[in-house]
Amino acid sequence: EQQAMDDIPSLSAFICGSPSGSTRTRATRVYGGKLTWLHFAASLDVLELVELMIDQLRIDIDMKDSDGRTALFCATLSGNSVMANFLLDRGARASVAHDHLGNTCLHFVTSFDRDSITGIVRRLVENGGYVNAQNLKQETPLHTALKYPISAASSLIAVQALLNLHADPWIPDVDGDM
């Protein structure tokens, strides 16, 4: 069952070539204890495979893995703006994407390249992302942009984008930090 991720035709054939009636099961089965093929492909930027699963197999674009993440969450976590925009164009909802720690897509916006952050933040909010969502540490996306930046520039851009969309800078996290 191991296929090279760069061999799209073979991987597509593997997923779609299941015995009749089990194609969707194979595509949505959890691999590696957590990810489905959809989540795995979204994380690794295999756009053709994600498109095949959504368009031909009609896999639920907002399907969650065993940690509560969606393909959009995986694309956001990996900083893949092309995949995130593709999924948003296809109807992915940012409101259903979160992990077992309560992080949402907006908690990881500094993972995108600096030129993509503002547009991604806007699109995530337009598609149901809550700009003041709090994780289990009560951190908002604004907290994570400041505490865990990929770079100072990405942090600055993310903070500006979040504030422009009405992020509340006065919400304290579990440690009382604002």
Side-chain angles (χ1 to χ4, degrees), residues 37-51:
W37 279 113
L38 178 63
H39 297 89
F40 191 58
S43 296
L44 295 178
D45 190 22
V46 188
L47 189 60
E48 299 121 271
L49 188 55
V50 171
E51 188 173 18

Side-chain angles (χ1 to χ4, degrees), residues 88 94 119-129 165:
L88 288 165
I120 292 292
V121 168
R122 181 184 45 76
R123 291 208 63 202
L124 290 171
V125 171
E126 287 172 353
N127 286 279
L165 292 167

Side-chain angles (χ1 to χ4, degrees), residues 34-74:
K34 295 190 182 210
L35 300 177
T36 69
W37 279 113
L38 178 63
H39 297 89
F40 191 58
S43 296
L44 295 178
D45 190 22
V46 188
L47 189 60
E48 299 121 271
L49 188 55
V50 171
E51 188 173 18
L52 173 127
M53 286 187 271
I54 292 169
D55 293 346
Q56 292 180 21
L57 299 179
R58 305 276 188 242
I59 302 299
D60 177 8
I61 198 168
D62 290 323
M63 176 179 57
K64 295 180 181 183
D65 70 5
S66 61
D67 279 338
R69 300 171 296 202
T70 64
L72 177 60
F73 185 96
C74 292

Side-chain angles (χ1 to χ4, degrees), residues 43-178:
S43 296
L44 295 178
D45 190 22
V46 188
L47 189 60
E48 299 121 271
L49 188 55
V50 171
E51 188 173 18
L52 173 127
M53 286 187 271
I54 292 169
D55 293 346
Q56 292 180 21
L57 299 179
R58 305 276 188 242
I59 302 299
D60 177 8
I61 198 168
D62 290 323
M63 176 179 57
K64 295 180 181 183
D65 70 5
S66 61
D67 279 338
R69 300 171 296 202
T70 64
L72 177 60
F73 185 96
C74 292
T76 304
L77 183 60
S78 63
N80 187 333
S81 60
V82 172
M83 183 65 70
N85 278 310
F86 171 81
L87 292 165
L88 288 165
D89 288 344
R90 295 297 171 97
R93 295 176 303 149
S95 60
V96 298
H98 60 81
D99 66 10
H100 65 284
L101 299 174
N103 294 305
T104 68
C105 294
L106 285 166
H107 282 90
F108 298 104
V109 295
T110 61
S111 63
F112 290 101
D113 65 81
R114 295 186 315 233
D115 296 332
S116 302
I117 292 173
T118 301
I120 292 292
V121 168
R122 181 184 45 76
R123 291 208 63 202
L124 290 171
V125 171
E126 287 172 353
N127 286 279
Y130 180 49
V131 75
N132 291 314
Q134 291 180 281
N135 62 20
L136 295 180
K137 293 182 180 179
Q138 298 176 347
E139 296 167 328
T140 66
L142 201 52
H143 287 111
T144 58
L146 290 166
K147 288 182 173 184
Y148 316 108
I150 300 300
S151 70
S154 66
S155 178
L156 179 63
I157 294 166
V159 166
Q160 181 72 42
L162 291 163
L163 289 172
N164 285 343
L165 292 167
H166 310 292
D168 185 348
W170 302 110
I171 297 174
D173 66 8
V174 73
D175 296 323
D177 295 335
M178 291 188 248

